[in-house]
Amino acid sequence: MPALTPDAIRTATETLTDLTEYLREHPDPAKALALVEPLLDEYTGVPVQLADILRTLARTLQDHPAIPRTAETDLLIAELRTAAWEQSDQHVLHYVLDGFRDHFDSTPSDVSGCGRCR
């Protein structure tokens, strides 16, 4: 595995920014769902990964001898762990994508008019 750098992480976040900008251009819904699907994967998606990162960061900081053990650092570590749990709760977003996919699969493609007209 190549060494991780802040620039490598920035590149990943820039890709997410590119995706956001692309979605603002009102792309085909099927393509939009396909692009977002890996981000919301039940096991490897962003909510799960970010939760793991936050928990691991909390553990790293708590166990590192250079980090002072104070009430303030304990509170900050607890906040990281709370944020990790909140992120973990978002793993169910893949069900939302499943619902949209089911909806698109059951909607006839030859229906004319905009979404409000149907």
Side-chain angles (χ1 to χ4, degrees), residues 77-93:
I77 288 168
E79 287 183 28
L80 282 174
R81 290 192 171 124
T82 299
W85 278 110
E86 290 171 359
Q87 285 300 309
S88 292
D89 289 344
Q90 299 304 313
H91 82 281
V92 298
L93 287 171

Side-chain angles (χ1 to χ4, degrees), residues 19-33 35:
L19 175 60
T20 301
E21 290 173 9
Y22 174 78
L23 293 173
R24 287 182 179 140
E25 295 172 3
H26 309 288
D28 175 68
K31 174 126 188 208
L33 287 170
L35 290 171

Side-chain angles (χ1 to χ4, degrees), residues 8 11 16 22 26 31 37 44 48 55 70-71 80 84 87 89 93 96 99 102-103 105-106 113-114:
T11 299
L16 295 175
Y22 174 78
H26 309 288
K31 174 126 188 208
E37 184 175 12
T44 60
V48 173
R55 273 191 289 277
T70 65
L80 282 174
Q87 285 300 309
D89 289 344
L93 287 171
V96 173
D102 291 344
H103 177 71
D105 290 344
S106 66
C114 68

Side-chain angles (χ1 to χ4, degrees), residues 46-56 80 83-85 87-88:
V46 171
V48 173
Q49 295 292 330
L50 185 54
D52 287 346
I53 289 167
L54 293 172
R55 273 191 289 277
T56 305
L80 282 174
W85 278 110
Q87 285 300 309
S88 292

Side-chain angles (χ1 to χ4, degrees), residues 58-114:
R59 188 177 319 113
T60 298
L61 295 172
Q62 182 177 15
D63 295 344
H64 198 280
I67 302 293
R69 298 293 301 188
T70 65
E72 183 180 4
T73 57
D74 287 347
L75 179 62
L76 294 170
I77 288 168
E79 287 183 28
L80 282 174
R81 290 192 171 124
T82 299
W85 278 110
E86 290 171 359
Q87 285 300 309
S88 292
D89 289 344
Q90 299 304 313
H91 82 281
V92 298
L93 287 171
H94 73 279
Y95 292 123
V96 173
L97 293 184
D98 291 344
F100 273 112
R101 199 173 301 102
D102 291 344
H103 177 71
F104 287 127
D105 290 344
S106 66
T107 302
S109 60
D110 61 344
V111 175
S112 60
C114 68

